[in-house]
Amino acid sequence: MHAVTGLLTSLLASSALARSLGGIYNRRQSNGTEYAVKEPPLTTPWTYEVGTDPWPEYPRPQLQRSEWKNLNGVWRYRNASSLGDVESPPFGAIFPQEVLVPSCLESGLSGLQGQNVTYSWLSTTFSVPHDWSGERVLLNFAAVDYEATVFVNGQRAGFHRGGYFAFTVDVTQYLSSNSTNELLVFVHDPTDSGDYVIPVGKQTLSPSHIFYRPCTGIWQTVWIESAPADYIAHLDLNANADGDVTVTVFSSSEDPNPVTVEIREKHSTDVLASEEGIAGSPIEFHVPHVDLWSPDSPTLYDVVVKLDEDKIHSYTGFRTYSKGEVDGIQRPLTNGEFIFQFGTLDQGYWPDGLYTPPSLEAMVFDLKVLKKLGFNMVRKHIKVETALFYKACDELGLFVIQDMPSLKPTTPNAEQQVEFERQLELLINQQKHFPSISTWVIYNEGWGQITDIYPEFRLTDRVRKLDPYRLIDATSGWHDHGAGDIHDNHHYANPQCGSPFYSILSTPYDPKRIGFQGEFGGIGHNVSIEHLWNVQEAISTINQTYEVNESLDAWNYRAHKLLVELTEQTDMFACSGGVWTQTTDVEGEVNGLLTYDRRVLRPDVEQWKRDIDGLYDAAGRRGGKGRGRSRKRGGGVVEL
């Protein structure tokens, strides 16, 4: 087995997790609770470090209030038998099992590791701080997969559909006069069962190679917060490379009340610019002499918004994404300059937590590995992450190509298509504030795409109206009919990027759009059982990998050849960026830069750095600006 490289060791050591490489774990909690991690098919260095107070960080960094309380921790769980159970809530019952929130019910970290948990009840109790008296109390869920019906103190308080998106319930009227409140959540998650066609990404009830174990339940943070009667409900915010800021502040009352927006230096009270306006109407103003956001200079600024008695903290980065001609070729532009975007297909799966990373530290570890190797982008593949993931990309300097979670590979009916489009709008509206997101992907490889009426043209227009500040990749891979800003080729293992050759599933390069390699590579390298997802059905699919190399030397040799080929296509043709498959192994896939347990890093680090720098150099010879250097006053490359 290839030894853990110096890069991996240093990153783990910096997280104080190196001891976990030796397999020394505390398998039960020390506080006497019944909850314990249920041994997953594979662990990570963080599995037994999670504890019973997971994800303590404030989960919504771009609309942050000072008065809040985290409800994560050990809840109670009971299986339900049907959708009709929601009509008979078991108020006051003590559920038989303990479960960790947030977590996927199918994961080891949940303490359950359940299967086919289509209907579920989860419960906890909470108290409201006495000094919140007279204020509204907002109950927030960052993500529940798939449908959540919320009850507080025996009353139905809210409902939400969509497994990737946040929602808020004003629970003020349901609160008890004493100190304890009962919170009950009914979860319905059909995944890909029966006739259900919903946004599921890679989730399936029958895992096989490129489709994985599903995630059900409250898989992101739950919290309450205090707000005045008229509070800031939503914030639309964009800051461009010219220093222009556009903000729309939406209030809970929808009254046209006055608001104030301030731009400050990061972690400072120094106000650079401020502007007043009216809630619900765009506010536009200019900030002079700003440092621009780019991968090599990820400069961010604090934002403070005031609406009457409400005050929230946010942040932004000044950058502009556009499409433009450079030396006769359509290119993706950042701050008016062609920057070659090179990153990985990032599935966001964990063997211990599935959709839920063990911790913020673990999640950021993956991104730091990519940054150290020289990547400047991740393609978040048909999954939506916690807001803290995008904040980390903002801070580290990583472009994000954000996919819409796809339907299962089938053709939706009219009702299913309407729901897909509703959730597409949720994706855009909830994530469009993060400076690092450069591109939206509507469809991946035709999954759930209606191919006879070309809905991607209409959806491209809709996305553009919701967010005119980013590029749109309407159809990543196929079926491409010419919609969007990007002509996106998928081909394994060799790239076909902006080139005069293509495979049968793709289409000829379209010079009116940006030539992009949305997926390539995918070469595999098998490992010993201690680094594999120890599920026989997954192990049996390893040989479905696009290409399997017998040693790490062979794997690195093949990677070098493929990266050189992409470099040549950048030099010779119209290639503007690429996505290597993939960040980590996942279940039966063994084609990651990291193994699924994050304990083995396959790349020869110096070789990969040279090859990736070669891509940026080739783009520079075609009018590009290297890896992401852009005009700035200060800052610099983030230190890891």
Side-chain angles (χ1 to χ4, degrees), residues 56 82 199 250 269 279 294-295 310 324 351 369 419 421 462 506 537 631:
S82 71
F250 297 93
T269 58
S294 72
D310 197 16
V369 168
E419 181 61 25
E421 295 182 16
R462 183 181 298 188
S506 298
E537 291 84 356
R631 172 168 54 90

Side-chain angles (χ1 to χ4, degrees), residues 252-267:
S252 57
S253 68
E254 299 184 356
D255 292 335
N257 292 324
V259 297
T260 302
V261 181
E262 297 177 350
I263 305 295
R264 300 179 178 182
E265 292 278 8
K266 193 67 177 171
H267 306 306

Side-chain angles (χ1 to χ4, degrees), residues 365-612:
F365 171 84
D366 282 3
L367 301 176
K368 287 185 174 182
V369 168
L370 298 181
K371 191 73 177 183
K372 274 288 191 181
L373 287 170
F375 293 98
N376 66 3
M377 174 265 285
V378 292
R379 178 184 171 196
K380 180 42 60 181
H381 192 40
I382 50 181
K383 179 194 176 188
V384 184
E385 292 285 0
T386 168
L388 296 174
F389 174 91
Y390 303 98
K391 181 185 178 185
C393 292
D394 293 339
E395 292 175 338
L396 291 170
L398 285 166
F399 292 120
V400 177
I401 296 175
Q402 177 62 54
D403 292 8
M404 171 62 190
S406 61
L407 307 175
K408 67 181 181 181
T410 189
T411 301
N413 62 31
E415 182 180 357
Q416 293 159 349
Q417 180 67 19
V418 168
E419 181 61 25
F420 173 81
E421 295 182 16
R422 183 189 73 85
Q423 293 190 34
L424 174 64
E425 290 198 7
L426 288 178
L427 169 70
I428 306 304
N429 285 328
Q430 290 194 10
Q431 312 303 127
K432 66 183 179 182
H433 317 295
F434 294 102
S436 55
I437 296 179
S438 65
T439 306
W440 302 113
V441 176
I442 300 174
Y443 287 111
N444 174 73
E445 295 187 350
W447 299 354
Q449 180 184 355
I450 303 172
T451 57
D452 57 350
I453 60 172
Y454 305 170
E456 62 270 23
F457 284 94
R458 175 175 53 81
L459 293 182
T460 294
D461 291 340
R462 183 181 298 188
V463 171
R464 189 95 66 197
K465 184 176 181 180
L466 291 170
D467 180 12
Y469 305 113
R470 289 176 174 82
L471 300 176
I472 300 172
D473 186 345
T475 55
S476 183
W478 54 85
H479 307 283
D480 181 21
H481 305 109
D485 301 304
I486 296 171
H487 179 264
D488 184 335
N489 178 288
H490 290 190
H491 192 256
Y492 291 99
N494 305 72
Q496 300 175 340
C497 186
S499 65
F501 46 86
Y502 59 96
S503 61
I504 189 170
L505 284 173
S506 298
T507 53
Y509 162 62
D510 177 4
K512 298 188 298 298
R513 293 180 292 159
I514 296 164
F516 192 78
Q517 191 66 45
E519 295 181 27
F520 82 112
I523 56 175
H525 162 252
N526 206 350
V527 289
S528 55
I529 190 64
E530 65 263 29
H531 300 293
L532 287 174
W533 178 248
N534 193 6
V535 174
Q536 187 56 52
E537 291 84 356
I539 293 172
S540 297
T541 66
I542 285 174
N543 281 335
Q544 295 180 25
T545 304
Y546 303 104
E547 171 185 310
V548 178
N549 294 270
E550 292 187 356
S551 68
L552 278 177
D553 286 341
W555 185 88
N556 276 290
Y557 163 77
R558 286 291 292 135
H560 169 68
K561 289 297 184 182
L562 294 172
L563 292 174
V564 167
E565 195 168 344
L566 187 67
T567 302
E568 291 171 347
Q569 292 173 21
T570 304
D571 256 326
M572 297 174 62
F573 306 125
C575 183
S576 292
V579 177
W580 179 272
T581 302
Q582 55 189 345
T583 306
T584 73
D585 296 350
V586 185
E587 298 190 8
E589 291 191 279
V590 293
N591 52 5
L593 301 177
L594 287 159
T595 51
Y596 198 19
D597 61 1
R598 275 70 171 179
R599 290 189 172 96
V600 176
L601 181 70
R602 291 189 175 97
D604 177 319
V605 173
E606 294 309 314
Q607 171 196 304
W608 275 72
K609 284 182 176 180
R610 288 193 301 271
D611 287 341
I612 292 173

Side-chain angles (χ1 to χ4, degrees), residues 100-156:
L100 192 69
V101 171
S103 66
C104 302
L105 299 179
E106 297 86 347
S107 72
L109 286 181
S110 73
L112 301 175
Q113 206 159 234
Q115 294 185 29
N116 299 314
V117 282
T118 306
Y119 310 102
S120 305
W121 286 105
L122 297 98
S123 71
T124 191
T125 59
F126 67 93
S127 61
V128 176
H130 293 297
D131 57 1
W132 291 9
S133 177
E135 297 284 280
R136 309 305 296 179
V137 177
L138 309 179
L139 172 62
N140 301 285
F141 294 84
V144 182
D145 197 352
Y146 171 67
E147 292 178 338
T149 307
V150 179
F151 299 86
V152 177
N153 293 326
Q155 301 179 77
R156 182 167 174 158

